Structure formats: C-alpha cells, structure tokens
C-alpha cells in the first residue's frame, strides 16, 4: 500500500508504469474536512480488505491543485476514480455506503490477492 | 490573480440609489432592462429547447469581454468547449480568440450518471473549486452556467444538490460576479427543477412560439428586483451578429425633422405636392389596387434620388431585382447605371421566407450597412403574410421610427385588394405615414385608366385634384383628368371629349368668321350706298346752284331791260319819279 502525498502531480502517477494486476486509485478531496478524512480512511479500508498491498492510491486536495479538478472533471467531493483495473469508475461520496470497489469485476480480472 | 470586484470597471457607475447594473451589450436588452443585468447578482434565463439561452449567455460573455473589458467564465454542462466555439462562430463570435487572450474561459463539466456511483455523503465542492479557479485565473467579472440543471440528471441525490445550489448562488453573490444561469423551461413552473426559488433577483423568460407556421422568439423580463424594467414580451431574433431584442416601446417620438424637400421624379406629381415634392425623412405610403403603377412610381422615385447622388435601398417582396430592372425598361427607365454606381441596391426576399422579426432584422442590417438616404419597401402588405396585423403594425412602427431617426425618406407601397375600400390600408398604417398617395383604376368605356391623387400630405399645401396618370414608353406622365358636367373622364373618353370640344370650338370659330365676313360685306354695301347717295346729292346740289345762277342772271337782265325802256320814256320822267316808285311797289306786290 502506497499513499502518495497530495503535492504529487497526477502526471507522475500516470507516467509510472502500471504493473499487471496493480490497482490505481485517485481520491479527490476538498481540504481536510471530516468527509475527506472519512473517505481516505474508507478507501484504505476497502483496499486493505480486497486488495491487500497491490494498490496505488493518490489523494489529491483540489484546494491545493484546482487545475486537477478541472482536468479530471471533478464536480462532487470526495470523488474516487478507479483508473486500473479498467473500466474506469467514479465513486462520489465518502464511500461509507460502499461495500467494495471491485465487486463488479469478473473474477479473472480481479487483482491477484495475496493471501 | 484574484478577481478584482470593484475596481477597473470602465462603465459609468450607476447613480446612488439605483441598483448597479451590468450592461449586456446585447442590442435592445439593455434598453428594456434599463441598463443591463443586476451587477454582482445571478440572473436566471429560462426557456424551452432552442430558444437561445446558451446564445444569450455566450453573447453576454463575449460582449462583456470585448466591449466592457470584463472577462468571463462559461461553465458549460451540455456542450464541450469545441462544440460551443463552433456553434457561436456562426454569429461571428470568436470564442477561441477570446480564450487565447485570456478574456474568456470555458470549462466543460461532464457528468454522466452511468459513470458515477454514489457511495455516501458528498458535496459539490469540486464545482466550486473549479469555478473559483476559473474566475481567479482570468479575473472574471461575469459567469455563465449553462445549463445548471444537467446536474439534476447527473447526480442522484436531489437533496444534496438543492442545498448545494443554494450555497452556489450565495457564493456567486459573495464572489461579486454577475452571473447568468440558464435553465430549461418547466411545465408548471419557470424552470424544470425550480431554480427560480434560488435566483430571485432577475428572471428572464425566453420563448419560441409558432404562430401560423411562423416562429418568433420572444423575451420577457419576469422579474427584476429593485429596478424598473419593460414588462412586455419583446420579440427578439438571432441574427448573424448575435441577439437583438426589438423593443417597440423604448422608441420615443423625438426625431429630428428636415425642411428639405425632395422631388419624386415626376414633375407633375411634385406640382401636386406643393410644387416641391416630399419632405426629406418623411414616410410616404402609396396605396393602390393591383397594376396601378406602384412599383413604377417607386422606381421613378428611386431613380430621381440616384440622380441627386443619394443612396437608395429597395426592398422588393414580389419581384427579383433583375425583373424590376427589365420591367422598367418598358417605360424607358434605366436603373442599371444606378446599380452599377452602387447608389441603388435591391434586396429581394419572399415574405414567407422567414418570420416578421427576421425580416425586420434583415432590413435593419441592410440599412445599417448600406446607409441609404431613401428606403423603398414594395409592398409592405406582403409582410402581413409573415405575421399578424398587430405584429406587422408594430414592425412598421419600428421601421419608420428607426428610419426617421436617421432622416431616411421611406416609401412604402401597399396593395389594396380589389373590392375593398381604397382608404383601408390593412395595417392601419396610415396614421404612421406623413404623405399618402392613392392610385386608382377607373373603369369605363371598355378600358381601365389610372388616376392618382394625394390623400394627405402633412405639412404642405397639396392638390386636391384627381390627375390621370399615363404610363408610356417614355415614362410616366401625369395629366389633368377631364372634369366636366359628365363627371371625371379619363383615357379615351377624355380624348373623345377633348376631340368633341375641339370640334365644337372649330365650328364656333367658323361661324364667327362667316359672320364677320357677312358684316364686312354689309359694310361695303352700305358704304357703296352711301357714296351713291352722296353723288346724287352732289348732282342735285350742282343743279340747284345752276338754277340759282340762272335766276340771278335773269333778274339782272330784267332790271337792265327796265332801265333801258325807262330811258326811252324820258318825258314823264320827272312826274313819274314819284309814281315810278309806287308802280314798282305795285309790281312787286
């Protein structure tokens, strides 16, 4: 599990090679609000539950990087964008109502679990 | 760069006590809103599909950026930046250029419900951040949100959305930007999702209505808190220079007038109009039944103006320019030189081509481009087909006011249908006209003849006579109609009457000549008689003189004889001296 600092640009993430089976998540939050913190915690929780270590999560504060909000078509916060594995999916909200981020994926595409 | 809200505004500050306004730059809209939209507040523009909401928003931003030096942000929820640029390019707006110059920023917000999964509590801070960033990055003073209601389709939780929208409008006010929010027209309320409950300062309703197969756009200001505004429904149109709202009521009757008179091109007609023709800048109506020569008079008027070096714009709703030019050849009127010298321009369009407002806008545009001194509309009645009577009258009013403001002389022809009263002009336009010429057919003797008279001519002495109006291959001639005991005669009847009179005159003259001759003869006869009598008299007088002489001679002789015999009887001379005297007395007695 690898949570990047909010200061890191999106490009660094995209340019980094995505390893097969790796999961790439980006979480856009607006400042350090309760909701933001809830979302970060929840994403970590879900990742831990479903993916264990094979996950890259980038948390972006749109107050710090408003341009990224535009580039990524962010309207609601918090928004989680699941870049990999495909298809790209967006989750809006603090993720408290979601049981899993990867439940909709068929079994072969699921990231390898490390038991 | 932070948005400087109060400074660097080139527009004059509104007088105290008045709501500060933000001029839109949209033709006509600033007039009916008395200066523009409320500055620093959101305005709701609602209307059905295709009534020009996005365009109004885009023009508001473009005009702001180009005319008032107020950069603007367009947040589009329905069209992408590229689409928007292409769409408004047809109106001559260079969005791409403005974006390059950082006078405008377009942010396309894409929300697709199927791509989004709701997973808990959220807010729209993302939207706020984007908007804030956009505003700050170019120092925007104007914002357009087009169409915010897309959020309702894109986001599932309406409760969150509503509270966030309320926050958004509050935020926009706090930010001090003048915002235009577009929304789809709802069935029972102004907007489909009731946005009007959040935007309470100014609400503009756009409408695209079909009336007798002709669609006209209308604009109405439903609400404008804290300001006077026109409450009527104003027609507006989207031309190739953007939106123009056409307020009738904002036009005042205070145009300049000219004392200059301009000739009609027909000398006798000028004579009927106080000898000098029409006033410059007046409006002239020419009514007539079909085929009475309305177009011909118009063309003569046009030609006369061109010969004075004036510019003439001819709107023809019945004939094509080439047809008019060809037809005028038949009366010896050549219009091509005027067209070639660019003094005469034709604009031909079928009345049913588009709605009345579009016609009016096209005419305004042509007039503004060509800057004519004389405008001819042939015939104005055709435009009734393109709208209702009241609309048409409104349009003519606006056209006349517009032209009078520019001191442009206007000639309208109007077709009266046969069987109608001639004075009836369909649009009750007569009150708008300064001069009114009536052309009429007189039927009789198996022929139709044209007559013309001046029904009214404000501000000039004009003839009350009916004149016959002749069209020949040498042009137009106005002649006196024969008015006599048998009524007004025209055409061949007039010619026959004239011939009859001529014959009568000739006979009279011959009679007089004959009498004169007779009298002369009589005089000569009398003269001859007189000289005869005189010679008679002279003969007699001569005779008398001769007799007198004879008598005198004989008396003398008698006396001398007596004396001689007395001498012979000398004896009793002494005695007889006294007796002789007595005897002589006795002889004499």
């Amino acid at each position: 599990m690898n949570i990047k600092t909010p200061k890191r640009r999106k490009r660094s993430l995209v340019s980094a090679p995505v390893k097969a089976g790796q999961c790439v998540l980006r979480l856009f939050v607006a400042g350090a609000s309760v909701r933001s913190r809830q979302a970060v915690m929840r994403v970590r929780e879900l990742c831990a539950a479903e993916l264990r270590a094979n996950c890259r999560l980038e948390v972006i504060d749109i107050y710090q990087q408003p341009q990224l909000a535009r580039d990524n078509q962010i309207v609601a916060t918090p928004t989680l964008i699941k870049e990999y594995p495909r298809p790209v999916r967006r989750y809006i909200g603090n993720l408290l109502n979601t049981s899993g981020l990867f439940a909709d994926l068929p079994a072969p595409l699921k990231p390898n679990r490390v038991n | 760069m932070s948005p400087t809200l109060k400074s660097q505004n080139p527009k004059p500050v509104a007088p105290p006590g008045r709501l500060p306004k933000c001029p839109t730059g949209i033709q006509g809209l600033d007039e009916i809103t008395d200066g523009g939209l409320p500055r620093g507040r959101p305005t709701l523009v609602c209307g059905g599909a295709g009534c020009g909401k996005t365009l109004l928003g885009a023009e508001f931003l473009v005009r702001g950026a180009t005319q008032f030096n107020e950069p603007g942000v367009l947040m589009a929820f329905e069209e992408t930046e590229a689409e928007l640029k292409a769409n408004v390019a047809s109106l001559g707006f260079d969005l791409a250029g403005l974006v390059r110059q950082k006078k405008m920023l377009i942010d396309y917000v894409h929300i697709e419900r199927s791509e989004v999964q709701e997973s808990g509590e959220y807010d729209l801070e993302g939207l706020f951040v984007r908007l804030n960033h956009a505003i700050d990055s170019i120092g925007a003073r104007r914002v357009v949100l087009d169409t915010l209601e897309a959020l309702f389709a894109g986001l599932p939780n309406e409760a969150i959305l509503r509270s966030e929208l309320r926050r958004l409008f509050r935020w926009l006010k706090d930010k001090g930007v003048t915002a235009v929010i577009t929304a789809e027209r709802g069935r029972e309320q102004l907007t489909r999702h009731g946005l009007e409950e959040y935007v309470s300062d100014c609400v503009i309703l756009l409408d695209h209505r079909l009336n007798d197969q002709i669609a006209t756009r209308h604009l109405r200001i439903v609400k404008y808190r804290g300001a006077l505004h026109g409450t009527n429904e104003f027609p507006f149109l989207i031309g190739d220079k953007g939106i123009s709202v056409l307020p009738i009521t904002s036009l005042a009757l205070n145009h300049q007038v000219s004392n200059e008179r301009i000739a009609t091109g027909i000398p006798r007609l000028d004579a009927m109009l106080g000898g000098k023709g029409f006033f410059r800048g007046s409006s002239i109506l020419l009514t007539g039944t079909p085929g009475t020569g309305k177009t011909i008079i118009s063309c003569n008027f046009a030609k006369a103006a061109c010969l004075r070096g004036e510019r003439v714009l001819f709107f023809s709703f019945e004939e094509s320019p080439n047809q008019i030019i060809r037809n005028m050849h038949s009366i010896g009127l050549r219009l091509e030189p005027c067209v070639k010298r660019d003094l005469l321009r034709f604009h031909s369009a079928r009345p049913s081509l588009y709605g009345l407002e579009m016609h009016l806008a096209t005419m305004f545009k042509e007039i503004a481009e060509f800057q004519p001194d004389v405008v001819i509309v042939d015939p104005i009645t055709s435009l009734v087909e393109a709208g209702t009577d009241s609309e048409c009258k409104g349009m003519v009013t606006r056209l006349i006011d517009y032209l009078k403001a520019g001191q442009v002389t206007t000639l309208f022809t109007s077709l009266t249908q046969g069987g109608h009263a001639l004075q009836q002009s369909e649009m009750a336009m007569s009150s708008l006209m300064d001069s009114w010429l009536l052309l009429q057919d007189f039927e009789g003797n198996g022929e139709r003849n044209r007559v013309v008279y001046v029904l009214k001519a404000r501000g000039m002495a004009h003839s009350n006579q009916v004149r016959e109006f002749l069209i020949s291959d040498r042009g137009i001639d106005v002649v006196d109609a024969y008015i006599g005991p048998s009524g007004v005669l025209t055409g061949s009847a007039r010619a026959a009457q004239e011939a009859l009179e001529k014959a009568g005159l000739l006979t009279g003259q011959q009679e007089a000549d004959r009498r004169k001759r007779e009298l002369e003869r009589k005089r000569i006869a009398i003269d001859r008689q007189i000289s005869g009598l005189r010679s008679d008299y002279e003969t007699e007088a001569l005779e008398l003189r001769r007799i007198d002489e004879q008598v005198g001679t004989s008396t003398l002789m008698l006396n001398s004889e007596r004396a001689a015999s007395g001498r012979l009887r000398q004896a009793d001379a002494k005695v007889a001296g006294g007796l002789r005297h007595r005897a002589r007395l006795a002889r004499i007695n």
Side-chain angles (χ1 to χ4, degrees):
Chain A
M1 192 114 161
N2 176 17
I3 296 177
K4 309 221 164 173
T5 61
K7 296 278 185 222
R8 290 284 290 271
R9 306 288 293 188
K10 175 188 105 184
R11 283 177 206 94
S12 62
L13 188 84
V14 171
S15 57
V18 178
K19 288 174 219 153
Q22 195 185 22
C23 175
V24 181
L25 300 173
R26 251 180 294 152
L27 179 64
F28 291 85
V29 294
S33 67
V34 178
R35 208 173 276 147
S36 303
R37 259 180 279 136
Q38 279 172 338
V40 174
M41 302 279 280
R42 182 68 182 152
V43 172
R44 282 183 187 166
E45 224 175 276
L46 290 169
C47 283
E50 291 181 82
L51 302 164
R52 302 296 161 93
N54 197 11
C55 187
R56 262 201 284 172
L57 172 67
E58 186 181 22
V59 178
I60 298 149
D61 181 1
I62 56 170
Y63 288 156
Q64 309 279 336
Q65 293 166 281
Q67 185 61 38
L68 286 186
R70 188 182 170 189
D71 295 343
N72 289 284
Q73 284 293 351
I74 303 304
V75 174
T77 48
T79 297
L80 177 71
I81 302 176
K82 185 193 70 173
E83 293 276 353
Y84 290 98
R86 298 294 193 195
V88 177
R89 280 207 68 83
R90 286 165 172 261
Y91 299 87
I92 57 171
N94 56 11
L95 298 162
L96 293 178
N97 301 347
T98 307
S99 53
L101 297 174
F102 311 100
D104 57 328
L105 291 179
L109 280 174
K110 275 194 179 182
N112 297 329
R113 292 196 173 193
V114 183
N115 286 318
Chain B
M1 191 152 79
S2 70
T4 45
L5 298 179
K6 291 277 155 61
S7 59
Q8 68 185 18
N9 179 8
K11 290 306 296 172
V13 183
R18 266 188 65 195
L19 200 69
K21 299 210 173 167
C22 175
T24 59
I26 295 172
Q27 205 187 332
L29 185 59
D30 291 342
E31 286 178 55
I32 54 178
T33 52
D34 194 22
L37 303 179
R39 180 172 289 282
R41 298 183 184 195
T43 296
L44 182 67
V45 175
C46 46
C51 64
K53 301 184 294 289
T54 305
L55 213 60
L56 192 136
E59 188 166 353
F60 172 65
L61 291 184
V62 170
R63 302 255 177 236
T66 54
Q67 293 176 9
F68 306 106
N69 195 23
E70 294 189 1
V73 170
L74 175 58
M75 196 166 236
F77 292 82
E78 287 180 331
E79 291 170 282
T80 64
E81 187 167 343
E83 282 169 347
L84 268 171
K85 282 175 183 169
N87 293 351
V88 299
S90 64
L91 304 175
F93 298 154
D94 179 20
L95 283 196
L98 289 172
V99 169
R100 265 200 307 280
Q101 295 165 34
K102 291 207 170 289
K103 285 186 161 180
M104 202 165 160
L105 195 144
I106 302 173
D107 188 0
Y108 168 61
V109 179
H110 173 83
I111 305 177
E112 183 57 57
R113 192 151 184 173
S114 61
E115 291 170 8
V116 176
Q117 193 170 336
E118 198 192 23
S119 61
E121 280 179 34
Y122 59 91
D123 54 35
L124 295 186
E125 197 59 29
L127 197 68
F128 283 71
V129 167
R130 283 169 75 169
L131 199 49
N132 191 41
H133 178 63
I135 290 170
D136 289 355
S137 65
I138 59 165
R141 317 262 339 258
R142 302 178 176 209
V143 169
V144 171
L145 301 173
D146 176 56
T147 302
L148 206 50
E149 285 181 320
L151 288 175
F152 285 90
L155 295 172
N157 192 331
E158 202 174 314
I160 290 179
L161 197 52
R162 288 197 176 277
S163 70
E164 286 296 283
L165 285 182
R166 193 179 294 279
R167 191 161 72 92
L168 178 67
F169 292 126
R170 187 71 251 160
W171 180 84
L172 283 171
K173 271 193 182 178
D174 292 344
K175 194 85 185 162
V177 290
T178 310
V180 168
I181 293 110
T182 66
E184 200 75 22
R185 181 85 196 263
R187 204 160 281 164
E188 280 166 14
Q189 43 197 0
L190 286 175
T191 59
R192 191 172 292 166
H193 295 280
L195 284 184
E196 64 269 22
E197 78 180 84
Y198 310 113
V199 185
S200 48
D201 294 300
C202 181
V203 178
I204 296 174
L205 185 65
L206 304 182
D207 178 33
H208 199 188
R209 233 187 354 245
L210 203 61
N211 197 341
D212 199 13
Q213 300 187 348
I214 288 153
T216 314
R217 296 169 204 270
H218 291 94
L219 179 147
R220 182 162 70 95
I221 297 175
V222 179
K223 173 174 175 180
Y224 198 140
R225 186 170 283 177
L228 290 173
H229 61 88
T231 51
N232 296 348
E233 198 167 47
F234 298 101
F236 78 98
L237 27 98
I238 299 172
D240 56 1
K241 295 218 171 66
I243 290 175
S244 73
V245 186
L246 307 155
I248 309 175
T249 42
S250 71
L251 296 164
L253 269 177
N254 52 7
H255 27 249
Q256 296 283 312
V257 293
S258 167
N259 285 327
E260 195 189 335
R261 301 280 279 269
I262 54 174
T264 58
I266 306 165
R268 279 300 294 270
L269 196 56
D270 292 341
M272 289 171 77
L273 296 161
K276 294 178 198 155
F278 300 113
F279 278 114
R280 180 176 296 287
S282 65
S283 50
I284 303 145
L285 180 66
L286 197 61
T287 27
T289 45
T292 42
K294 297 182 294 297
T295 306
I296 287 176
I297 289 191
S298 311
C299 286
N300 258 286
F301 190 49
K303 174 90 182 183
C306 287
L307 290 178
R308 288 192 300 268
E310 295 172 7
R311 295 163 79 82
V312 181
L313 190 53
F314 197 117
F315 293 101
S316 166
F317 295 108
E318 280 178 345
E319 294 176 275
S320 72
N322 291 333
Q323 194 181 331
I324 293 175
I325 290 171
R326 184 204 65 194
N327 292 352
M328 288 309 127
H329 282 179
S330 70
I331 61 157
L333 193 65
R334 305 190 75 82
L335 295 172
E336 307 98 310
C338 308
V339 175
K340 256 185 209 134
R341 285 171 59 207
D342 204 25
L343 288 173
L344 175 63
R345 185 183 288 178
F346 285 97
H347 177 90
S348 287
R350 279 271 167 222
S352 50
L353 182 61
Y354 26 62
L356 203 52
E357 302 307 327
M358 195 67 195
H359 273 297
L360 186 57
T362 317
M363 289 165 89
F364 278 178
K365 199 189 83 194
E366 286 277 332
I367 290 163
E369 263 177 32
F370 191 62
Q371 294 291 328
D373 301 291
V374 173
V375 168
I376 296 170
V377 182
D378 179 41
I380 190 84
T381 27
S382 283
L383 291 175
V384 181
E385 291 168 24
T388 61
D389 276 7
S390 65
E391 278 175 348
C392 200
K393 183 172 184 191
M395 173 191 155
V396 175
T397 313
R398 271 177 271 156
L399 188 61
I400 288 176
D401 283 340
Y402 178 70
L403 291 169
K404 279 198 169 177
Q407 295 257 316
V408 179
T409 315
T410 330
L411 177 72
F412 297 97
T413 69
S414 162
L415 181 70
T416 318
Q417 289 304 322
H420 285 196
L422 280 166
Q423 280 84 350
Q424 180 202 342
S425 58
E426 273 91 320
M427 285 155 282
M429 282 188 314
S430 58
S431 60
L432 301 171
M433 299 296 170
D434 297 325
S435 306
W436 190 356
L437 299 186
L438 196 58
L439 296 171
Q440 199 179 344
D441 266 341
F442 265 9
E443 203 176 329
N445 275 359
E447 60 188 43
R448 273 176 180 276
N449 295 298
R450 304 178 176 92
V451 296
V452 57
Y453 44 98
V454 181
L455 212 64
K456 84 168 177 189
R458 283 177 184 157
M460 61 176 94
H462 55 90
S463 163
N464 64 347
Q465 301 284 303
V466 175
R467 293 271 188 273
E468 187 170 358
F469 169 64
L470 297 177
I471 300 172
S472 67
D473 53 0
R474 287 183 314 280
I476 294 182
D477 201 8
V478 177
V479 297
D480 289 335
Y482 175 84
I483 301 164
S486 42
V488 177
L489 296 179
T490 54
S492 62
R494 173 177 52 80
Q497 185 66 32
E498 274 171 6
L500 207 64
E501 280 190 1
K502 219 175 199 172
L505 205 66
L506 204 64
T507 325
Q509 212 157 29
Q510 281 169 349
E511 176 73 21
D513 282 353
R514 194 180 57 77
R515 288 207 171 167
K516 211 188 251 174
R517 274 199 307 277
E518 201 169 303
L519 195 70
E520 184 66 15
R521 218 174 31 246
K522 247 183 198 165
R523 192 182 61 79
I524 292 170
I526 288 170
D527 275 358
R528 208 176 289 140
Q529 248 175 340
I530 289 171
S531 62
L533 284 173
R534 183 168 287 145
S535 65
D536 277 1
Y537 160 77
E538 275 169 6
T539 324
E540 274 179 42
L542 208 63
E543 189 76 9
L544 197 64
R545 236 188 347 261
R546 206 165 40 87
I547 291 170
D548 265 359
E549 277 168 18
Q550 271 178 352
V551 170
T553 319
S554 56
T555 313
L556 203 64
M557 278 168 67
L558 202 63
N559 282 346
S560 52
E561 265 172 40
R562 244 185 236 181
S565 60
R567 265 188 315 267
L568 290 175
R569 281 184 240 137
Q570 274 174 345
D572 54 343
K574 284 178 187 138
V575 185
L579 291 173
R580 206 168 47 218
H581 183 67
R582 242 176 278 151
R584 207 165 47 202
L585 283 174
R587 200 178 56 243
I588 286 166
N589 291 332

